[in-house]
Structure formats: C-alpha cells, structure tokens
Amino acid sequence: MNNHFNFMWRNGEVLITNDFGDYAFLSKDEFASFVSGKVQRGSELFTLLSHKGFVTDGNPNVFINERIGDLRNIKGYLFSATALHIFAITNRCNQNCVYCQAKAPGSTLDGIMEVETGKKAIEVAMQSPSNNLTFEFQGGEPLLNFDLILEMIRYSKELNQKYNKKLEYTIVTNLIALTDEKLQALIDNDVSICTSLDGCEAVHNHNRKLRSGEGTYQHVKKAIQRVRAAGKELGAIETTTRFSLQYPIEIVDEYVATGLGGIFLRPLTPLGFAKSFWDDVGYSAEEFVDFYKKAFTHILEINKQGIHFPELHATYFLRKMLHGDADNYMELRSPCGAGIGQMSYYYNGNVYTCDEGRMMGEAGDNTFLLGNVHKDSYDDMVGKKTCRATCAASVVESLPKCCDCAYHPYCGVCPVVAYSSNGDIFPREPFDFRCKVYKGIMDILFDLLQEDDPEVMHILHSWIEE
C-alpha cells in the first residue's frame, strides 16, 4: 500500500515527499514501479520507501500508529499555545531606514506605550497556556522607551510568581541609544540583544541612516564592540534591499568579520513603506534567489575552510528535510503562527495576529486586529473570527496552490502578505513573490541533497545539530 505523496521531476529523477517531511529521489523506472504498486517486497527500494513512510505491507491502522510520532514532530508547534509576544512599545525612531513600514502613508511617529498599557499587555500575554513565553521588545526604537521595558520585565516576574512559566526576554534595537546604564540593565535582566546589520559599510549606510542623513554603520559596529566588551553576546538581522543585491559576498564576509555566528538572508517584505516604494527598494523573486544562491555558495566555501557559519534561513528548511523536525518559525508553519504562535502588541494597546498584521495596522489597515489589552482577554482574542480565519487561510495542505506541491511539507504562507498583495487572505496567485522565494531556496537545498556530496552533507547536518 502506498501512502499519500507529492512529486516533482528534478535533474532526471523524481523527488517524492510526504506529510512526515520524508523525501526520496527515484529513477524513472523506480517511480513507475512505486506508483503502480509493484515495488518488490524485501527489495532495497521497498526497504527505503517503507523506512520513509511511503509504502507499507502491513495493517493500515498499525502503520498510522507507528507514524503518529513522525507527524507530531513536524507539527509539534501545534501542541503549544501563543509563545512569542512582541511588544512594539513605541513607533518613535532615531533612524530613517529605506524600508521601514512606519513610513507608510498615514503613519505617525510620536506614539509611545504608557506604563498602564504595558502592564496590561503583560497580563494578557501571561494568560497564554504556553509554559514557555518569549517577550520581545521592538519599536520603532525600543531604547527610546527603556524605562517601560524595565517595568514590564519587573511586572512579568511579579506575575510569574502565580503562573510559574519560563520567561525569556529579547530586544530588537539599532543600538544607537544604548548607554552603559541601559546595557547593564539588559545584562542584569538577562535580555537577549538583536540588532540590525545589513552588510558591509556601503550597504548598511545606504539602507539604514540617521534622521540627519548620516550612515549608521560605524555607530552599530562600535555598539557591538561595547556589548561584547561587557561580556554579552548578540545576534543581528539582515534585510535585503535592491541595493543589497549587488553585494552578496561582501554582506556575508561582513558577518563573518564581525564574529556573528551565522546569517539569515532575509528578503524584503512587501508591506508598508516597502510596498509603497517597491520600485525603489524592492526586486523580483528571481533577483533575490540569484542573490541568495551567490551568497549561499560563498557560505558553503567558508564552511569548507573549517569555519562554522550557517545560513539560518536554510536551517529552518533543513530541520524538516533531514530530521522531520519543525522549528517554531512562524512563517514556515502550517497553519502559520498568527495568533496561535505569536501576538503583536502596539503602543496603543491594540493586539494583532502577528508582527506583519501590526505593520498593516501602522499603515491604517486593522484587518488583522484581535482586540485591545484594556478591553479583551487572551481567550477573547484567540477566539476571534480574525484569528480563526487567518489560521484557516494558512493551512498549506488545503490550499489549491500548495496542496499538490512536493515542497509543501517544508513550506508556509502568510495571509497578511496575501491580503496586502491581492486583498484576500487566501493566496490567489499560484506563484507569487513569497512562493517563488521559498521555492528558489528549496531548489538550491534539494540540488545539494540530490548530489549528496559527503563534505556538503556534513556541513548541512552540522548547521542543524547545534
């Protein structure tokens, strides 16, 4: 008996995948035997396909019971409630980045979360049934409302005497307003730090300027050194603009030279200001994939020299492909993490399904609004039709454009981006920007898996076994 599978032709072979995240490459003749149910029991091919869950010669109920664990692994995020809570505690910023969603028409830059609202937001977040909560402070620039961060951390610890959850704190900051006092407070409260580094000096200064027009590269580099000198490690975020496309090698080399442990090559999201000025800052999916491939090839060469340096976008896919495990990465969940995996709290107390939904709210569109911390409980907001509809629109196994794709066990869709592009939370274009980007990345990875070069496979495994 054959289990459900999807397939595609690749480089003279057939790639087959199943809902457990397993895959296999078959020759034309092997594929013909497989689909016709004529694979000989006891053969090497049957053993392979049976091990990977594509065929069984036993009782279907036994097969289902044996494979429950595999399905649970790749869908493990569904067994946890909302774990990530993003607090945009101000939309004020000391920078003027070319892609910032806060620049969208209708946005204002004078909003700041008040203490009462911050404490209410913590109360809502603590109501999540998840035993592990991450509180992420964003902006704007969150350091411009630093006293509130400390108060929200203090209040969450106070409430946690009742809830007894594992709490983690992180801040996403450009570091420009980081003083020694603020740095010490972050260290004392065990707050993880993530900053933005778009690449080498030319790229970073083009993308991320102060409001005076001055580039911020030197500011960020000095701030990173200060953080490390204080004994604190940090991460960084790269955002790819049209200007960035010229510098795939230089961007990677900058991350290596800065001592960062890897890089997430991230495409620009067509929302807010970035969407309004896409012709200036954006690009086609094909252009991004070409940039990604050049950077990825360079990253492999760096790893071949003995430097452990993963591309983090690839690691999310590889954990599913090679281990059948799924990170709780919101954009590659099915359904996505909107509402049930993350919530985003704006400075005025409005709560959105996700960070992308909040970006839409900043631009004046509250389609993805779940409620407000002063009026609604966690249960109220998770139970809203908006949350349910967003989940339903992101189940790739049921979407016409996705259900027959061989890559769907590893992929995900974003209803917010679909809505922004087409006015519908259900993706309507079979090969939209996001789909082409993800497919392009997976094409690169499956090319390597198909080639099965021992040195490259060792590198790829090392990235996901940390």
Side-chain angles (χ1 to χ4, degrees), residues 86-91 101-102 107 136 138-140 271 342-348 350-366 368-369 416:
I86 301 172
F87 306 111
I89 59 175
T90 181
N91 65 358
Q101 76 277 357
S107 295
E136 180 176 300
Q138 288 191 12
L271 294 173
Q342 68 166 291
M343 286 183 175
S344 186
Y345 304 71
Y346 202 30
Y347 73 86
N348 59 7
N350 281 347
V351 184
Y352 295 87
T353 55
C354 52
D355 213 30
E356 290 77 11
R358 175 183 60 81
M359 293 179 193
M360 294 290 291
E362 285 185 310
D365 187 332
N366 280 328
F368 297 92
L369 178 67
V416 180

Side-chain angles (χ1 to χ4, degrees), residues 28-49:
K28 182 179 179 179
D29 289 342
E30 288 173 334
F31 183 65
S33 296
F34 168 57
V35 295
S36 62
K38 296 180 180 178
V39 178
Q40 292 295 318
R41 283 159 176 75
S43 67
E44 185 176 339
L45 179 60
F46 187 90
T47 300
L48 171 69
L49 296 178

Side-chain angles (χ1 to χ4, degrees), residues 221-271:
K221 292 285 283 190
K222 290 176 182 177
I224 290 174
Q225 292 172 1
R226 286 174 53 217
V227 172
R228 286 187 171 150
K232 182 82 170 174
E233 278 302 319
L234 74 171
I237 299 170
E238 181 269 346
T239 301
T240 308
T241 63
R242 175 178 291 278
F243 186 81
S244 307
L245 297 179
Q246 308 169 65
Y247 301 95
I249 308 303
E250 293 84 352
I251 290 171
V252 171
D253 286 346
E254 179 65 36
Y255 267 66
V256 175
T258 306
L260 295 163
I263 188 171
F264 191 117
L265 295 170
R266 189 173 69 155
L268 197 59
T269 302
L271 294 173

